[in-house]
Amino acid sequence: MPDQGEFKRDTNYISDRITADGRDGWPVEPGRYRLVIARACPWANRASIVRRLLGLEEVLSMGLCGPTHDERSWTFDLDPGGRDPVLGIERLQEAFFARYPDYPRGITVPSIVDVPSGQVVTNDFKQITVDLSLEWGAYHRDGAPELYPEKLRDEIEDVAEKVFQDVNNGVYKAGFATSQEAYEEAYRALFARLDWLSERLAGQRYLVGDTITEADVRLFTTLVRFDAVYHGHFKCNREKLAEMPVLWAYARDLFQTPGFGDTIDFGQIKEHYYVVHRNVNPTGIVPVGPSESGWLTPHGREELGGRPFGDGTPPGLPPVGERVPALGS
């Protein structure tokens, strides 16, 4: 079938897993691995949220790439000397090439790197967060929530797959479409799914069950970027998130929940999209707005019941070196 201007995401990732039994050769070990993310990236943001919620900061360190990159890879330009202080590399690409010298695909975040060898283990963003829940359980903090409960997994994956196709990836399908037809198809699918989500969430506080799950994490990272980036930059402009009452309240509820909003850096998010995507924004000018003040306003979602952490407790403050700027700063 000829190209119709549709955006096609490469979903072939390094599929090795870090597991409790080490069956892929990568056993769970405190201090052995480093999670590499960028604050700007929604896929990486998932991993930073789950790591926070589960309290894995002391056993799985985190490296932070800057918000922009070139065609070669993400860089550690936020660190002194432009090198990750643990891995000693300037580019995430170096960890991929350390394992696969001719690695042919994109260098993506999140990635987990084996510190002793300097080799990337996996960049499979979907499996990474699931395994943080299921395989790293011996090192979860006291009071960690159950984000991927067995009895709800089928429903979580069903909802999350719909969200991935039409929302998480849907905004990219709209933004990177190269034909009017492909753009409009993605646009319609996106807002039809957002309407579906609004109906689902009008009567329940969270997507699946009465506590936060993996499904909420996956949706949140797109919603939190919607008005700052996707509405204008990706032409997803039927309405802003702030004009969709149910989803706006739901997103604010999560943002104000420890582990969610404290991973968000709106400055880095905007810089990434508007500077890197020169095919979409040739000038590279980064917008000043929108205002961030609304994220901390009351949301009223407590009236729907639900217990954010189930029988668990909220995480404490992020480590000092991982704290994001206050809103509006």
Side-chain angles (χ1 to χ4, degrees):
M1 183 178 178
D3 179 20
Q4 300 296 319
E6 298 175 3
F7 168 68
K8 302 289 187 182
R9 180 175 297 280
D10 182 355
T11 56
N12 292 297
Y13 300 101
I14 301 170
S15 60
D16 284 17
R17 296 173 60 189
I18 300 169
T19 58
D21 63 7
R23 57 186 176 274
D24 284 358
W26 307 104
V28 170
E29 293 180 15
R32 175 171 173 175
Y33 305 100
R34 188 159 177 82
L35 172 66
V36 178
I37 71 158
R39 295 285 189 199
C41 172
W43 318 100
N45 195 179
R46 298 178 177 193
S48 66
I49 290 171
V50 170
R51 174 178 171 270
R52 280 273 295 127
L53 295 177
L54 299 179
L56 292 170
E57 293 97 334
E58 295 300 316
V59 298
L60 177 63
S61 68
M62 188 168 74
L64 292 168
C65 297
T68 62
H69 61 77
D70 56 23
E71 68 280 356
R72 289 172 58 197
S73 89
W74 296 88
T75 57
F76 293 98
D77 49 293
L78 300 177
D79 292 307
R83 289 184 178 274
D84 180 87
V86 173
L87 300 173
I89 58 178
E90 295 179 339
R91 291 176 173 270
L92 180 57
Q93 183 186 58
E94 296 175 54
F96 280 72
F97 286 172
R99 185 169 180 200
Y100 302 109
D102 299 316
Y103 188 75
R105 300 189 180 279
I107 309 299
T108 62
V109 290
S111 290
I112 297 184
V113 179
D114 177 50
V115 175
S117 68
Q119 298 181 359
V120 67
V121 177
T122 180
N123 64 336
D124 188 342
F125 68 88
K126 179 180 176 182
Q127 193 64 52
I128 284 173
T129 53
V130 170
D131 283 344
L132 290 180
S133 282
L134 300 185
E135 302 293 336
W136 290 73
Y139 302 100
H140 290 177
R141 65 179 177 86
D142 291 339
E146 193 173 3
L147 299 177
Y148 201 62
E150 185 172 4
K151 65 181 180 180
L152 297 178
R153 283 175 202 168
D154 288 347
E155 187 178 0
I156 288 171
E157 288 300 335
D158 178 65
V159 171
E161 180 60 20
K162 291 180 172 70
V163 169
F164 171 78
Q165 293 296 340
D166 297 333
V167 181
N168 300 145
N169 201 38
V171 293
Y172 287 85
K173 290 177 182 178
F176 290 145
T178 56
S179 75
Q180 188 71 31
E181 180 182 12
Y183 160 69
E184 291 186 14
E185 182 179 352
Y187 176 100
R188 287 191 295 268
L190 166 65
F191 282 100
R193 185 61 62 195
L194 291 176
D195 290 342
W196 178 84
L197 288 164
S198 290
E199 292 177 11
R200 183 182 183 93
L201 289 164
Q204 61 189 65
R205 191 171 178 185
Y206 303 111
L207 274 176
V208 181
D210 67 350
T211 64
I212 291 166
T213 68
E214 175 82 18
D216 298 295
V217 175
R218 296 183 192 183
L219 177 57
F220 172 78
T221 60
T222 297
L223 294 184
V224 78
R225 288 163 174 75
F226 201 89
D227 288 1
V229 176
Y230 304 139
H231 178 271
H233 185 59
F234 279 174
K235 307 179 186 71
C236 300
N237 60 358
R238 189 188 78 179
E239 55 203 332
K240 297 175 182 177
L241 176 68
E243 296 167 343
M244 294 181 264
V246 172
L247 289 179
W248 176 222
Y250 166 80
R252 298 200 318 276
D253 186 5
L254 290 177
F255 188 92
Q256 295 170 31
T257 299
F260 284 84
D262 54 30
T263 70
I264 301 301
D265 187 321
F266 283 111
Q268 290 195 29
I269 288 170
K270 290 191 293 185
E271 184 177 354
H272 168 71
Y273 284 92
Y274 286 98
V275 171
V276 172
H277 300 159
R278 291 303 177 99
N279 57 326
V280 178
N281 185 43
T283 65
I285 293 173
V286 180
V288 175
S291 172
E292 301 163 6
S293 59
W295 283 102
L296 298 181
T297 59
H299 51 76
R301 297 282 293 179
E302 304 94 335
E303 296 177 4
L304 294 173
R307 302 174 300 148
F309 299 99
D311 294 329
T313 57
L317 293 173
V320 173
E322 296 181 9
R323 295 180 186 176
V324 298
L327 291 189
S329 63

PDB file of all heavy atoms in Angstrom, residues 302-318:
ATOM      1  N   GLU A 302     -12.190  14.046  44.492  1.00  0.00           N
ATOM      2  CA  GLU A 302     -12.326  13.236  45.711  1.00  0.00           C
ATOM      3  C   GLU A 302     -13.766  12.784  45.923  1.00  0.00           C
ATOM      4  O   GLU A 302     -14.016  11.742  46.541  1.00  0.00           O
ATOM      5  CB  GLU A 302     -11.862  14.020  46.941  1.00  0.00           C
ATOM      6  CG  GLU A 302     -10.447  14.563  46.862  1.00  0.00           C
ATOM      7  CD  GLU A 302     -10.405  15.988  46.353  1.00  0.00           C
ATOM      8  OE1 GLU A 302     -11.358  16.395  45.637  1.00  0.00           O
ATOM      9  OE2 GLU A 302      -9.426  16.698  46.653  1.00  0.00           O
ATOM     10  N   GLU A 303     -14.709  13.551  45.399  1.00  0.00           N
ATOM     11  CA  GLU A 303     -16.123  13.218  45.582  1.00  0.00           C
ATOM     12  C   GLU A 303     -16.493  11.889  44.927  1.00  0.00           C
ATOM     13  O   GLU A 303     -17.520  11.293  45.271  1.00  0.00           O
ATOM     14  CB  GLU A 303     -16.992  14.346  45.008  1.00  0.00           C
ATOM     15  CG  GLU A 303     -16.813  15.682  45.733  1.00  0.00           C
ATOM     16  CD  GLU A 303     -17.627  16.788  45.095  1.00  0.00           C
ATOM     17  OE1 GLU A 303     -18.384  16.492  44.138  1.00  0.00           O
ATOM     18  OE2 GLU A 303     -17.505  17.942  45.541  1.00  0.00           O
ATOM     19  N   LEU A 304     -15.681  11.441  43.981  1.00  0.00           N
ATOM     20  CA  LEU A 304     -15.949  10.169  43.313  1.00  0.00           C
ATOM     21  C   LEU A 304     -15.452   8.978  44.120  1.00  0.00           C
ATOM     22  O   LEU A 304     -15.640   7.831  43.713  1.00  0.00           O
ATOM     23  CB  LEU A 304     -15.287  10.162  41.928  1.00  0.00           C
ATOM     24  CG  LEU A 304     -15.841  11.164  40.918  1.00  0.00           C
ATOM     25  CD1 LEU A 304     -14.990  11.173  39.652  1.00  0.00           C
ATOM     26  CD2 LEU A 304     -17.288  10.833  40.579  1.00  0.00           C
ATOM     27  N   GLY A 305     -14.827   9.236  45.258  1.00  0.00           N
ATOM     28  CA  GLY A 305     -14.273   8.151  46.065  1.00  0.00           C
ATOM     29  C   GLY A 305     -12.907   7.750  45.547  1.00  0.00           C
ATOM     30  O   GLY A 305     -12.159   8.560  45.024  1.00  0.00           O
ATOM     31  N   GLY A 306     -12.609   6.476  45.668  1.00  0.00           N
ATOM     32  CA  GLY A 306     -11.302   6.019  45.222  1.00  0.00           C
ATOM     33  C   GLY A 306     -10.224   6.312  46.243  1.00  0.00           C
ATOM     34  O   GLY A 306     -10.329   7.248  47.044  1.00  0.00           O
ATOM     35  N   ARG A 307      -9.200   5.504  46.199  1.00  0.00           N
ATOM     36  CA  ARG A 307      -8.064   5.667  47.107  1.00  0.00           C
ATOM     37  C   ARG A 307      -6.807   5.668  46.250  1.00  0.00           C
ATOM     38  O   ARG A 307      -6.447   4.628  45.684  1.00  0.00           O
ATOM     39  CB  ARG A 307      -8.027   4.512  48.111  1.00  0.00           C
ATOM     40  CG  ARG A 307      -9.304   4.377  48.959  1.00  0.00           C
ATOM     41  CD  ARG A 307      -9.232   3.123  49.820  1.00  0.00           C
ATOM     42  NE  ARG A 307      -9.112   1.917  49.005  1.00  0.00           N
ATOM     43  CZ  ARG A 307      -8.450   0.817  49.388  1.00  0.00           C
ATOM     44  NH1 ARG A 307      -7.856   0.787  50.560  1.00  0.00           N
ATOM     45  NH2 ARG A 307      -8.407  -0.234  48.592  1.00  0.00           N
ATOM     46  N   PRO A 308      -6.148   6.811  46.107  1.00  0.00           N
ATOM     47  CA  PRO A 308      -5.028   6.903  45.168  1.00  0.00           C
ATOM     48  C   PRO A 308      -4.020   5.763  45.278  1.00  0.00           C
ATOM     49  O   PRO A 308      -3.627   5.173  44.277  1.00  0.00           O
ATOM     50  CB  PRO A 308      -4.391   8.248  45.514  1.00  0.00           C
ATOM     51  CG  PRO A 308      -5.485   9.038  46.120  1.00  0.00           C
ATOM     52  CD  PRO A 308      -6.373   8.064  46.836  1.00  0.00           C
ATOM     53  N   PHE A 309      -3.629   5.424  46.505  1.00  0.00           N
ATOM     54  CA  PHE A 309      -2.589   4.423  46.711  1.00  0.00           C
ATOM     55  C   PHE A 309      -3.134   3.121  47.302  1.00  0.00           C
ATOM     56  O   PHE A 309      -2.370   2.293  47.807  1.00  0.00           O
ATOM     57  CB  PHE A 309      -1.486   4.996  47.603  1.00  0.00           C
ATOM     58  CG  PHE A 309      -0.821   6.203  46.994  1.00  0.00           C
ATOM     59  CD1 PHE A 309      -1.187   7.484  47.378  1.00  0.00           C
ATOM     60  CD2 PHE A 309       0.140   6.055  46.003  1.00  0.00           C
ATOM     61  CE1 PHE A 309      -0.605   8.596  46.796  1.00  0.00           C
ATOM     62  CE2 PHE A 309       0.728   7.157  45.411  1.00  0.00           C
ATOM     63  CZ  PHE A 309       0.368   8.428  45.808  1.00  0.00           C
ATOM     64  N   GLY A 310      -4.444   2.940  47.251  1.00  0.00           N
ATOM     65  CA  GLY A 310      -5.029   1.734  47.806  1.00  0.00           C
ATOM     66  C   GLY A 310      -4.738   1.643  49.288  1.00  0.00           C
ATOM     67  O   GLY A 310      -4.995   2.589  50.052  1.00  0.00           O
ATOM     68  N   ASP A 311      -4.176   0.512  49.705  1.00  0.00           N
ATOM     69  CA  ASP A 311      -3.790   0.336  51.111  1.00  0.00           C
ATOM     70  C   ASP A 311      -2.411   0.908  51.396  1.00  0.00           C
ATOM     71  O   ASP A 311      -1.920   0.805  52.520  1.00  0.00           O
ATOM     72  CB  ASP A 311      -3.800  -1.155  51.463  1.00  0.00           C
ATOM     73  CG  ASP A 311      -5.198  -1.749  51.401  1.00  0.00           C
ATOM     74  OD1 ASP A 311      -6.173  -1.010  51.671  1.00  0.00           O
ATOM     75  OD2 ASP A 311      -5.321  -2.942  51.075  1.00  0.00           O
ATOM     76  N   GLY A 312      -1.792   1.521  50.394  1.00  0.00           N
ATOM     77  CA  GLY A 312      -0.449   2.061  50.559  1.00  0.00           C
ATOM     78  C   GLY A 312      -0.456   3.529  50.945  1.00  0.00           C
ATOM     79  O   GLY A 312      -1.467   4.082  51.392  1.00  0.00           O
ATOM     80  N   THR A 313       0.670   4.173  50.718  1.00  0.00           N
ATOM     81  CA  THR A 313       0.887   5.556  51.127  1.00  0.00           C
ATOM     82  C   THR A 313       1.568   6.332  50.000  1.00  0.00           C
ATOM     83  O   THR A 313       2.185   5.731  49.111  1.00  0.00           O
ATOM     84  CB  THR A 313       1.783   5.613  52.372  1.00  0.00           C
ATOM     85  OG1 THR A 313       3.020   4.937  52.082  1.00  0.00           O
ATOM     86  CG2 THR A 313       1.107   4.950  53.563  1.00  0.00           C
ATOM     87  N   PRO A 314       1.496   7.660  50.038  1.00  0.00           N
ATOM     88  CA  PRO A 314       2.190   8.452  49.014  1.00  0.00           C
ATOM     89  C   PRO A 314       3.704   8.339  49.168  1.00  0.00           C
ATOM     90  O   PRO A 314       4.213   8.096  50.264  1.00  0.00           O
ATOM     91  CB  PRO A 314       1.728   9.886  49.298  1.00  0.00           C
ATOM     92  CG  PRO A 314       0.548   9.762  50.198  1.00  0.00           C
ATOM     93  CD  PRO A 314       0.727   8.498  50.964  1.00  0.00           C
ATOM     94  N   PRO A 315       4.446   8.526  48.083  1.00  0.00           N
ATOM     95  CA  PRO A 315       5.906   8.585  48.207  1.00  0.00           C
ATOM     96  C   PRO A 315       6.322   9.869  48.899  1.00  0.00           C
ATOM     97  O   PRO A 315       5.565  10.849  48.926  1.00  0.00           O
ATOM     98  CB  PRO A 315       6.383   8.564  46.753  1.00  0.00           C
ATOM     99  CG  PRO A 315       5.248   9.188  45.992  1.00  0.00           C
ATOM    100  CD  PRO A 315       3.998   8.752  46.697  1.00  0.00           C
ATOM    101  N   GLY A 316       7.512   9.868  49.442  1.00  0.00           N
ATOM    102  CA  GLY A 316       8.051  11.085  50.041  1.00  0.00           C
ATOM    103  C   GLY A 316       8.528  12.051  48.973  1.00  0.00           C
ATOM    104  O   GLY A 316       8.255  11.881  47.782  1.00  0.00           O
ATOM    105  N   LEU A 317       9.255  13.069  49.380  1.00  0.00           N
ATOM    106  CA  LEU A 317       9.784  14.050  48.440  1.00  0.00           C
ATOM    107  C   LEU A 317      10.808  13.411  47.523  1.00  0.00           C
ATOM    108  O   LEU A 317      11.514  12.476  47.910  1.00  0.00           O
ATOM    109  CB  LEU A 317      10.421  15.215  49.195  1.00  0.00           C
ATOM    110  CG  LEU A 317       9.482  16.110  50.002  1.00  0.00           C
ATOM    111  CD1 LEU A 317      10.295  17.118  50.818  1.00  0.00           C
ATOM    112  CD2 LEU A 317       8.508  16.839  49.087  1.00  0.00           C
ATOM    113  N   PRO A 318      10.926  13.901  46.293  1.00  0.00           N
ATOM    114  CA  PRO A 318      11.968  13.395  45.410  1.00  0.00           C
ATOM    115  C   PRO A 318      13.344  13.702  45.979  1.00  0.00           C
ATOM    116  O   PRO A 318      13.517  14.667  46.735  1.00  0.00           O
ATOM    117  CB  PRO A 318      11.739  14.165  44.100  1.00  0.00           C
ATOM    118  CG  PRO A 318      10.379  14.759  44.212  1.00  0.00           C
ATOM    119  CD  PRO A 318      10.125  14.968  45.666  1.00  0.00           C
TER     120      PRO A 318
END
